[in-house]
């Protein structure tokens, strides 16, 4: 098992900055703002031959109320999961009563921990750490996480008990996990659905839009299959995005869509489909991700209204008729279990291997049933097809004049390949390629030879004329 390190401390002491340094990523949001991290965020790091897992947590003050109390619960859960806790303190502001309270709590829990004095840049190690020796902590380290100063030595000391037993593990170790992103507008129930799928209060749920700000990656196993759930921040219209932090959250949500293999788009049954839902749907389609639609809060809808919602959903989402639609209640769990069947079907279709002979036969039948149009008095010819990629499936079609093939015929090919291959729940890409003209290059080479021959001939003529003039003058 990999060692697990939890980063805890008061707000704005540099936990997320250290997390990004350890994981060599930008997975945790960093800004000069207290209370930015709300859920616990997992990442993987490596020091030479020793790999480890690091958990970023929200700040703890001991005076949390409302959503801050839920954030503190996430931090306490991270402490319980960790093998070693790194308690970060601010070297510039000195010892704080909240730091003493956290030290007392860790000691009562019997948890191994190291005190990490951060922000020593411009202050000096001895001066920054001097205020914290009165805590009587055995392991005290001084670092500047922003500049990565002292971080390597810190992790080497923390991981020394595991270093002798560590083995190199170059792979991510996800055991073929299906990556599933949960996306939607703010307050549609994304985090509630994540907790329902996991069967625990894994992420913060609060009756306030914008509770989730980071994209939180969660690994788990169900009935022998491995999954990675990605809980994302809600994406609103651009004109409604005020805080800079929320702008970063939107970028991370779009990145999570790109990282996922299957995307569950959650809609609010009480509000129906709005413009922002269609915008998010377009992002998923542009990314080529397998898709499942979940209409949440279905349990509070009257029967007459349900029929109207179904018809409206069918009318407005005809262009993604390949995606399954589920009517669920994430809060009460109704319909949630059926999501797994659609997730598996969409993932299998998106990652399926496609053989060249079968793709070519499907192309030939499609061309025979509905031939391509004429272009410049010549018909576009489509000769053969082969697989060009997965997630989404890419079918490469070779022929002549393919650049002139209308978009309507390309859509016809997409629907034909999806139907014949039974690609359920995933978009498909058609990539057109035209064969090169074998005589195009030769014609250019022939012209160049002619030019060179003419140049030599003109040079010979000029020399002959010059020689004749000299001979006539001398004679």
């Amino acid at each position: 098992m990999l060692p697990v390190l939890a980063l805890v401390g008061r707000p704005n002491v540099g936990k997320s900055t250290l997390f990004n340094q350890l994981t060599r990523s930008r997975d945790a949001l960093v800004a000069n703002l207290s209370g930015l991290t709300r859920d616990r965020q997992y990442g993987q790091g490596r020091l030479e031959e020793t790999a480890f897992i690091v958990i970023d947590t929200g700040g703890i003050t001991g005076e949390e109320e409302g959503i801050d109390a839920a954030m503190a619960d996430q931090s306490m859960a991270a402490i319980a999961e960790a093998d070693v806790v790194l308690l970060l303190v601010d070297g510039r502001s000195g010892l704080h009563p909240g730091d003493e309270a956290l030290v007392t709590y860790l000691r009562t829990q019997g948890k191994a921990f190291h005190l990490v004095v951060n922000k020593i840049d411009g202050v000096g190690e001895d001066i920054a750490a001097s205020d914290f020796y009165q805590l009587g902590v055995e392991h005290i380290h001084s670092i500047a996480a922003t500049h990565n100063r002292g971080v390597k030595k810190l992790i080497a000391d923390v991981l020394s008990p595991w270093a002798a037993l560590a083995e190199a593990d170059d792979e991510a170790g996800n055991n073929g996990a299906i990556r599933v992103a949960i996306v939607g507008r703010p307050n549609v129930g994304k985090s509630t659905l994540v907790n329902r799928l996991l069967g625990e209060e894994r992420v913060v749920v609060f009756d306030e839009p914008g509770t989730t700000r980071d994209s939180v990656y969660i690994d788990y196993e169900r009935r022998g299959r491995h999954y990675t759930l990605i809980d994302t921040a809600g994406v609103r219209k651009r004109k409604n995005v005020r805080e800079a932090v929320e702008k970063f959250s939107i970028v991370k949500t779009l990145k999570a869509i790109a990282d996922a293999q299957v995307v569950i788009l959650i809609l609010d049954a009480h509000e129906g489909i709005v413009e922002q839902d269609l915008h998010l749907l377009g992002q998923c389609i542009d990314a080529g991700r397998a898709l499942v639609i979940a209409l949440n809060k279905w349990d509070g809808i009257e029967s007459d209204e349900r029929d109207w919602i179904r018809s409206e959903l069918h009318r407005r989402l005809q262009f993604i008729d390949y995606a399954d639609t589920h009517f669920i209640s994430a809060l009460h769990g109704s319909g949630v279990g059926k999501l797994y069947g659609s997730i598996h079907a969409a993932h299998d279709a998106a990652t399926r291997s496609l053989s060249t002979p079968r793709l070519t036969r499907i192309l030939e039948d499609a061309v025979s049933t509905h031939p391509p149009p004429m272009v410049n008095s010549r018909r576009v010819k489509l000769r053969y097809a082969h697989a060009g990629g997965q997630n989404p499936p890419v079918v490469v079609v070779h022929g002549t004049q393919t650049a002139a093939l209308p978009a309507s015929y390309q859509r016809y090919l997409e629907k034909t390949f999806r139907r014949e291959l039974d690609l359920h729940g995933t978009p498909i890409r058609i990539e057109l390629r035209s064969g090169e003209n074998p005589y195009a290059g030769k014609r250019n080479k022939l012209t160049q030879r002619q030019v060179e021959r003419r140049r030599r001939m003109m040079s010979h003529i000029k020399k002959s004329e010059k020689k004749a003039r000299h001979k006539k003058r001398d004679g």
Side-chain angles (χ1 to χ4, degrees), residues 94-214:
L95 183 61
H96 188 276
D99 302 329
E100 297 183 76
L102 283 171
V103 170
T104 302
Y105 176 80
L106 292 172
R107 282 172 171 161
T108 57
Q109 296 297 314
K111 182 67 65 173
F113 71 97
H114 292 243
L115 186 69
V116 181
V117 183
N118 192 23
K119 304 182 182 181
I120 64 169
D121 42 319
V123 180
E125 294 185 20
D126 296 335
I127 297 175
S130 61
D131 206 19
F132 298 93
Y133 286 115
Q134 59 182 296
L135 295 174
V137 178
E138 180 181 359
H139 305 288
I140 298 181
H141 307 268
S142 299
I143 68 168
T146 302
H147 304 290
N148 203 25
R149 177 182 168 188
V151 174
K152 185 175 181 180
K153 182 177 183 302
L154 162 67
I155 298 304
D157 290 343
V158 171
L159 296 180
S160 57
W162 288 273
L165 302 176
E167 295 180 357
D169 183 12
D170 295 330
E171 298 184 1
N174 59 1
N175 296 322
I178 302 175
R179 298 188 299 277
V180 183
I182 312 295
V183 304
R185 292 182 291 112
N187 213 31
V188 295
K190 299 183 295 297
S191 295
T192 304
L193 177 60
V194 169
N195 289 337
R196 177 63 61 180
L197 291 170
L198 295 173
E200 64 167 326
E201 296 299 316
R202 172 59 182 79
V203 292
V204 172
V205 178
F206 202 71
D207 189 18
E208 174 186 311
T211 301
T212 302
R213 288 177 173 172
D214 261 332

Side-chain angles (χ1 to χ4, degrees), residues 2-8 42 55 57 60 74-87 101-115 136-139 158 162:
L2 299 180
V4 180
L5 315 180
L7 308 181
V8 301
Y42 289 75
I55 312 175
T57 66
I60 307 175
Q74 292 289 316
S75 299
M76 297 306 175
I79 291 174
E81 292 176 343
D83 296 308
V84 180
V85 174
L86 301 185
L87 174 57
L102 283 171
V103 170
T104 302
Y105 176 80
L106 292 172
R107 282 172 171 161
T108 57
Q109 296 297 314
K111 182 67 65 173
F113 71 97
H114 292 243
L115 186 69
V137 178
E138 180 181 359
H139 305 288
V158 171
W162 288 273

Side-chain angles (χ1 to χ4, degrees), residues 221-255:
E221 181 180 350
R222 178 182 183 269
R223 297 181 180 177
R225 298 195 68 161
H226 296 267
Y227 304 85
T228 299
L229 275 182
I230 311 174
D231 184 25
T232 63
V235 178
R236 299 190 289 176
K237 291 184 180 179
R238 183 176 297 178
K239 67 178 183 179
N240 295 330
V241 177
R242 305 295 183 187
E243 299 182 22
V245 171
E246 188 171 355
K247 293 180 181 179
F248 289 120
S249 297
I250 294 173
V251 172
K252 293 179 73 63
T253 295
L254 300 181
K255 181 179 180 298

Side-chain angles (χ1 to χ4, degrees), residues 230-307:
I230 311 174
D231 184 25
T232 63
V235 178
R236 299 190 289 176
K237 291 184 180 179
R238 183 176 297 178
K239 67 178 183 179
N240 295 330
V241 177
R242 305 295 183 187
E243 299 182 22
V245 171
E246 188 171 355
K247 293 180 181 179
F248 289 120
S249 297
I250 294 173
V251 172
K252 293 179 73 63
T253 295
L254 300 181
K255 181 179 180 298
I257 292 175
D259 288 345
Q261 294 169 316
V262 181
V263 174
I264 300 179
L265 175 61
I266 301 185
L267 310 177
D268 191 325
H270 292 274
E271 299 181 10
I273 304 175
V274 299
E275 180 182 350
Q276 191 62 16
D277 294 327
L278 296 176
H279 175 71
L280 269 173
L281 183 57
Q283 294 288 346
C284 298
I285 295 173
D286 291 342
R289 292 298 165 256
L291 189 64
V292 178
I293 306 295
L295 208 67
N296 193 24
K297 306 178 184 179
W298 189 246
D299 50 328
I301 305 296
E302 299 293 335
S303 58
D304 293 341
E305 190 177 357
R306 288 185 177 187
D307 294 336

Side-chain angles (χ1 to χ4, degrees), residues 58 172 222 256 278 287 302 308 337 343 347 420:
R222 178 182 183 269
L278 296 176
E302 299 293 335
W308 181 85
I343 291 172
H347 176 264
E420 297 299 322

Side-chain angles (χ1 to χ4, degrees), residues 23-91:
T23 59
R24 298 180 183 180
S25 70
R26 296 183 179 180
D27 288 343
L29 293 178
V30 178
N32 189 22
L33 177 67
S34 298
L36 182 59
T37 304
R38 289 182 171 172
D39 298 307
R40 59 191 194 268
Q41 169 92 351
Y42 289 75
Q44 189 169 9
R46 177 182 296 276
L47 179 66
E48 297 178 352
E49 300 299 319
T50 307
F52 58 92
I53 295 173
V54 58
I55 312 175
D56 185 24
T57 66
I60 307 175
T61 64
E63 301 175 354
E64 291 82 7
E65 296 180 357
I67 189 172
D68 292 334
M71 292 161 50
D73 291 340
Q74 292 289 316
S75 299
M76 297 306 175
I79 291 174
E81 292 176 343
D83 296 308
V84 180
V85 174
L86 301 185
L87 174 57
L88 270 73
V89 295
D90 191 331

